[in-house]
Amino acid sequence: MSAPMTITIRPAVVEDATWIAPLLREGARQGHFLDIVSVQADKLLESLLKFGGLTMMKLRRGREEVCTVHGYVWVANVDNEPAAFLICMDDQEGYELHLAGTRSAYLQRGCFKALVGHAIANAPSDGRVFARCYPRSTVAADALRRYGFVRSSSGDPMELDLKRTAPTPPAPEPVPLSWWQRFLERNKRKD
């Protein structure tokens, strides 16, 4: 009998972009993300991994507005090998479980479940925690529902919000924030 596998969660480092970017492009090709994710994968990861966030245009109160979005990239290692990632975004809308992917050799091993548990445990204790899923992402939507997410809007993508009355799953193990994540937390805009 083989030894049990160990899943650990850690913050992503710049070198992780080499395997995360192809997963983002493949996810866009398969319809799990918008096509633009494929085009912007490298720049998105560079901004998140080097600067801890990005500046983007968002529709706010009926008009386009430049917004700064803080981002966290978590990696699930299986027996010390990077297996999956989850990108979380934090802004005025709330804390979003934004993009995720798993290397094919590690599918169905609990990586996404571990990452979602870790993200929920590290989400702000107040405010909205949510995810958006496209119709193609049935596995992710089902996994999120098992963690207490409920459908809050239909459409393409549908939105799922964490129902706060659900028990918060324990994180696999605490992961300290990097220096830039601590800096961003201390200097987060309050608007």
Side-chain angles (χ1 to χ4, degrees), residues 1-80:
M1 190 161 102
S2 64
M5 66 174 191
T6 303
I7 298 176
T8 55
I9 309 297
R10 63 173 173 80
V13 294
V14 172
E15 294 77 17
D16 287 315
T18 60
W19 63 270
I20 294 174
L23 284 176
L24 286 170
R25 285 190 276 280
E26 181 63 17
R29 189 187 69 68
Q30 292 177 357
H32 296 288
F33 317 131
L34 290 176
D35 290 336
I36 194 71
V37 171
S38 182
V39 175
Q40 296 179 344
D42 294 320
K43 289 289 186 189
L44 170 70
L45 289 169
E46 178 183 13
S47 186
L48 292 173
L49 296 174
K50 288 185 178 177
F51 308 112
L54 56 132
T55 301
M56 61 183 358
M57 294 295 290
K58 282 194 161 193
L59 191 61
R60 299 266 187 222
R61 295 170 292 282
R63 62 183 173 87
E64 286 188 350
E65 190 175 298
V66 177
C67 297
T68 299
V69 180
H70 302 281
Y72 310 93
V73 185
W74 301 109
V75 171
N77 280 353
V78 173
D79 297 329
N80 297 316

Side-chain angles (χ1 to χ4, degrees), residues 73-125:
V73 185
W74 301 109
V75 171
N77 280 353
V78 173
D79 297 329
N80 297 316
E81 290 295 321
F85 73 92
L86 174 61
I87 297 173
C88 297
M89 302 294 227
D90 192 7
D91 70 357
Q92 297 98 327
E93 278 188 81
Y95 187 82
E96 179 182 5
L97 282 64
H98 186 61
L99 299 167
T102 302
R103 291 172 135 176
S104 59
Y106 298 99
L107 291 170
Q108 303 290 318
R109 294 198 187 177
C111 295
F112 183 68
K113 178 181 175 184
L115 285 163
V116 169
H118 183 80
I120 292 170
N122 284 280
S125 58

